[in-house]
Amino acid sequence: VQLQASGGGLVQAGGSLRLSCSASGGTFSRYSLGWFRQAPGKEREFVAARRSANGNTYYGDSVKGRFTISRDNAKTGVYLQMNSLKPEDTAVYYCAATGTGNYISSAYFRSSTYPYWGQGTQVTVSS
């Protein structure tokens, strides 16, 4: 599975960005996709995930209510719509895919659940 993330950039606080993650090289319906982020000097943090089997979505506490993950129209990837951005959202955002199979809900919050990773895309929010 190959993942391609795009859509990062520079935005002012309060603004919006939409990230895209495209998947190829596998049967998309068998993989769930998620987003993580990592700011300089900090650990990688779970942002959001979409469970492929039933469409359930999961969000990290720091982005709940502001970010939305959804499947793209071509059904080969996901979007991450980020609204009401804050300077603390500044990070490199990574798209990741799980292996095939079903997982308990809590697993989607852990980076170790995702064996496939794309390159990151930088999001910078200015104050």
Side-chain angles (χ1 to χ4, degrees):
V1 177
Q2 291 80 46
L3 303 171
Q4 180 73 36
S6 61
L10 173 65
V11 64
Q12 289 188 333
S16 299
L17 278 177
R18 188 175 75 167
L19 304 184
S20 296
C21 175
S22 297
S24 62
T27 303
F28 174 68
S29 61
R30 301 178 64 189
Y31 302 90
S32 296
L33 297 182
W35 290 94
F36 288 77
R37 66 186 183 185
Q38 189 165 20
K42 294 188 177 181
E43 294 186 354
R44 190 164 292 189
E45 176 189 15
F46 171 75
V47 176
R50 185 185 181 279
R51 191 170 187 170
S52 184
N54 57 16
N56 283 359
T57 56
Y58 307 94
Y59 296 94
D61 288 341
S62 62
V63 307
K64 204 172 294 183
R66 300 187 297 123
F67 291 11
T68 303
I69 188 170
S70 61
R71 188 170 62 179
D72 71 9
N73 292 335
K75 300 181 181 180
T76 58
V78 290
Y79 296 121
L80 183 68
Q81 178 67 41
M82 305 186 296
N83 298 329
S84 302
L85 283 162
K86 305 174 181 179
E88 51 264 44
D89 294 319
T90 295
V92 177
Y93 283 70
Y94 296 91
C95 177
T98 65
T100 59
N102 214 2
Y103 303 87
I104 60 174
S105 297
S106 60
Y108 291 94
F109 293 77
R110 298 192 295 264
S111 60
S112 59
T113 301
Y114 302 80
Y116 307 105
W117 292 80
Q119 91 293 354
T121 185
Q122 176 71 46
V123 171
T124 302
V125 184
S126 63
S127 57

